[in-house]
Amino acid sequence: MKEKELRRSLSVLPIGTVMKLTDLSARQIRYYEQQGLVIPERNEGNRRMYSLNNVDQLLEIKDYLSEGINMAGIRHIYEQQKEREHAKQEQMQKSLTDTDVRRILREEIKAVGGLADRADKLSVHKKKL
Amino acid sequence: MKEKELRRSLSVLPIGTVMKLTDLSARQIRYYEQQGLVIPERNEGNRRMYSLNNVDQLLEIKDYLSEGINMAGIRHIYEQQKEREHAKQEQMQKSLTDTDVRRILREEIKAVGGLADRADKLSVHKKKL
DNA sequence: ATTTTATGTCATATTTTATAACACGAAAAT
DNA sequence: ATTTTCGTGTTATAAAATATGACATAAAAT
């Protein structure tokens, strides 16, 4: 599902479209950006270009606001989220090295298996042992 | 998967974005429209707004063109496609009425079952028959 | 009672898009 | 061998969309 993620993160929507999709005013969208919440990419002409993920985030912000949470609160939430993602990232990193360890172990086993094979070939002598 | 279809058919992309996504010039995109191939919606300000489906179709057209097929050919292909869709539509229609028929049959069976029930209730007399 | 927040509104500059026209090489038709 | 048609580029002009910054303000926080 990597392709889907890519699609959702492509900055292809002008602010006008985002306004309609979120039912937010340009003023609001720009203000949230100013507050460090949703920072869109810019095209060559300095126009803001949003992704579907950006839109989702804006809708999320709408929800938070309607729950009475203010900018600072929302900012905090996203910082927390980033932290969690960071932690997960580290976790991933760790588990990756774990699989590395497993791979190495497997290779060691394989090596041992090789020895076993040789032992098999020598097994004609087994009975003798 | 109705929601996905909706997403893909939402007219949210300005022509500039479509140009980048398809690597076609505005001239080309508009010409294909003029030729009846990809007709985008328009926003209140008469700007063309494209959907992801539109983009896919444009990419398809690019392929056809690179295969040497001309506008007329592509138009023909799409007309065929429409016909097929239409046929499928009719088929759907048909099979829907089929299920209707089945439903009706089921109801008839149920009705018969009702009679059967009554027959059961009368079955105390069965032996008499 | 002030100050801060979140948003509206307005003005100005820049960018993007629409439309129409002219051009032009390559392919097709005559 | 010409003439037409096709697909696209380019240019000019007008309208729409967007960016930025300033001023305004009701509601909330202090």
Side-chain angles (χ1 to χ4, degrees):
Chain A
M1 285 288 143
K2 269 271 175 55
E3 190 184 332
K4 196 175 181 178
E5 292 170 34
L6 200 158
R7 280 207 119 99
R8 295 192 63 76
S9 67
L10 272 185
S11 298
V12 293
L13 310 172
I15 200 171
T17 293
V18 175
M19 289 172 66
K20 284 178 200 155
L21 292 178
T22 62
D23 198 40
L24 290 168
S25 70
R27 184 69 169 85
Q28 287 174 301
I29 297 172
R30 296 199 195 103
Y31 183 65
Y32 303 157
E33 176 183 352
Q34 194 184 322
Q35 295 297 313
L37 296 188
V38 178
I39 292 130
E41 297 196 353
R42 301 286 187 124
N43 71 3
E44 321 72 51
N46 196 37
R47 262 63 204 171
R48 292 171 176 83
M49 299 302 287
Y50 297 84
S51 69
L52 287 177
N53 281 333
N54 289 154
V55 171
D56 285 346
Q57 214 186 335
L58 284 168
L59 290 171
E60 223 176 289
I61 290 173
K62 266 191 80 169
D63 284 350
Y64 286 139
L65 287 175
S66 76
E67 285 176 33
I69 304 175
N70 64 7
M71 296 288 118
I74 299 174
R75 227 179 290 132
H76 185 255
I77 289 170
Y78 285 137
E79 275 161 23
Q80 269 183 179
Q81 231 168 68
K82 255 183 215 159
E83 274 176 37
R84 265 183 246 129
E85 276 167 34
H86 194 266
K88 193 188 262 178
Q89 181 72 19
E90 279 178 0
Q91 183 53 38
M92 291 286 279
Q93 184 72 23
K94 207 184 223 171
S95 60
L96 268 179
T97 59
D98 280 352
T99 65
D100 278 358
V101 169
R102 264 180 248 122
R103 181 174 50 73
I104 288 162
L105 266 174
R106 224 181 305 122
E107 285 175 357
E108 285 184 23
I109 289 165
K110 215 184 275 175
V112 172
L115 288 173
D117 275 347
R118 266 183 265 161
D120 271 345
K121 280 175 184 171
L122 294 178
S123 71
V124 280
H125 307 293
K126 255 187 186 173
K127 294 178 180 174
K128 292 192 179 177
L129 298 181
Chain B
M1 285 288 143
K2 268 272 173 56
E3 192 184 332
K4 195 174 182 179
E5 291 169 35
L6 201 158
R7 279 209 121 98
R8 296 193 61 77
S9 66
L10 272 186
S11 297
V12 293
L13 310 173
I15 199 170
T17 293
V18 176
M19 289 172 65
K20 284 178 200 155
L21 293 179
T22 61
D23 199 39
L24 290 168
S25 70
R27 184 70 167 86
Q28 287 174 303
I29 297 171
R30 296 199 195 104
Y31 183 65
Y32 303 157
E33 175 184 352
Q34 195 185 321
Q35 295 297 311
L37 297 187
V38 179
I39 292 130
E41 296 195 354
R42 300 286 186 123
N43 70 3
E44 320 71 53
N46 196 36
R47 262 64 201 162
R48 292 172 176 82
M49 299 302 287
Y50 296 84
S51 69
L52 286 178
N53 282 332
N54 289 155
V55 171
D56 285 347
Q57 214 187 337
L58 284 170
L59 290 171
E60 222 177 289
I61 290 173
K62 266 189 78 168
D63 284 349
Y64 286 140
L65 286 175
S66 76
E67 286 175 32
I69 305 176
N70 64 8
M71 296 289 117
I74 299 174
R75 226 180 291 133
H76 185 257
I77 289 170
Y78 285 137
E79 275 162 23
Q80 270 183 177
Q81 232 167 70
K82 256 183 217 159
E83 275 177 37
R84 265 183 246 130
E85 276 168 34
H86 195 268
K88 194 188 262 177
Q89 180 71 17
E90 279 179 1
Q91 183 54 38
M92 292 284 279
Q93 184 72 23
K94 209 184 223 172
S95 59
L96 269 177
T97 58
D98 280 353
T99 65
D100 279 357
V101 169
R102 265 179 246 122
R103 181 175 50 72
I104 289 163
L105 266 173
R106 225 179 304 123
E107 285 174 357
E108 284 185 24
I109 289 165
K110 217 183 275 175
V112 172
L115 289 175
D117 275 345
R118 266 183 266 163
D120 272 343
K121 281 176 185 172
L122 293 179
S123 71
V124 279
H125 307 291
K126 251 186 187 171
K127 291 177 183 175
K128 292 195 180 178
L129 298 182

